């Protein structure tokens, strides 16, 4: 069960600081909740991205698939963006694990919308889709292909936990 202790944080972004109460379970893997579908959000952005840009983009992406932030367990991105304040603040505000991948790991993912321009700049043709799928692991599927919101690229994958 999710208990929402909502607070206003991150430039006016409503955050449901979900407390997942299920026998003290946390994380995406090994939760003990068999068959629960959990979401992974992949994010790509330029250096210096603002927290309100990341939060707004993620909110819009989740709204497109009718999902709520409480279903998300992981925010995934390329290693160089995981150090960005805007990305870190969103993961922390929502209580999501922040996972990062090297460009080579992302390049190994099979994605539907790779970009030669991104590949030339970062060494991987995809960040958001590839990060979401890599973090979801085996059995993960893309629910929302990459979308661009105010310069932030977001993709959402799901995986059955357990």
């Amino acid at each position: 069960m999710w208990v929402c202790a909502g607070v206003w944080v991150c430039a006016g972004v409503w955050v449901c600081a979900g407390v997942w109460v299920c026998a003290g379970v946390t994380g995406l893997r090994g939760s003990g909740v068999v068959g629960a579908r959990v979401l992974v959000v992949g994010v790509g952005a330029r250096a210096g991205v603002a927290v309100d840009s990341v939060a707004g983009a993620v909110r819009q992406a989740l709204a497109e698939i009718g999902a709520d932030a409480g279903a998300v367990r992981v925010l995934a991105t390329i290693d160089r963006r995981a150090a960005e304040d805007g990305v870190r603040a969103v993961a922390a505000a929502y209580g999501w694990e922040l996972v990062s991948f090297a460009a080579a790991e992302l390049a190994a993912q099979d994605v539907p919308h790779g970009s030669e321009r991104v590949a030339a700049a970062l060494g991987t043709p995809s960040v958001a889709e590839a990060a979401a799928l890599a973090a979801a692991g085996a059995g993960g599927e893309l629910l929302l292909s990459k979308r661009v919101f105010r310069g932030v690229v977001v993709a959402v994958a799901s995986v059955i936990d357990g």
Side-chain angles (χ1 to χ4, degrees):
M1 146 172 90
W2 282 92
V3 179
C4 184
V7 294
W8 284 95
V9 296
C10 297
V13 176
W14 178 255
V15 175
C16 180
V19 177
W20 197 25
V21 181
C22 185
V25 176
T26 60
L28 181 62
R29 300 265 186 254
S31 70
V33 180
V34 178
R37 184 166 290 280
V38 295
L39 302 180
V40 175
V41 174
V43 172
R46 293 185 186 273
V49 65
V51 65
D52 60 338
S53 295
V54 177
V58 169
R59 225 181 20 254
Q60 287 180 298
L62 292 174
E64 272 197 39
I65 61 172
D68 142 313
V72 177
R73 296 289 173 274
V74 174
L75 183 66
T77 191
I78 194 166
D79 50 11
R80 66 185 79 178
R81 291 300 168 257
E84 294 284 335
D85 290 341
V87 173
R88 295 177 72 79
V90 169
Y94 282 103
W96 299 337
E97 179 182 1
L98 179 59
V99 176
S100 64
F101 298 93
E105 292 175 284
L106 296 178
Q109 293 294 316
D110 184 27
V111 296
H113 303 103
S115 163
E116 289 180 22
R117 186 174 58 106
V118 172
L122 299 175
T124 177
S126 170
V127 174
E129 289 176 337
L133 288 168
E141 67 179 81
L142 209 53
L143 292 181
L144 181 71
S145 300
K146 73 177 183 180
R147 300 285 195 275
V148 182
F149 305 97
R150 293 179 50 200
V152 178
V153 183
V154 181
V156 181
S158 73
V159 65
I160 301 293
D161 193 20

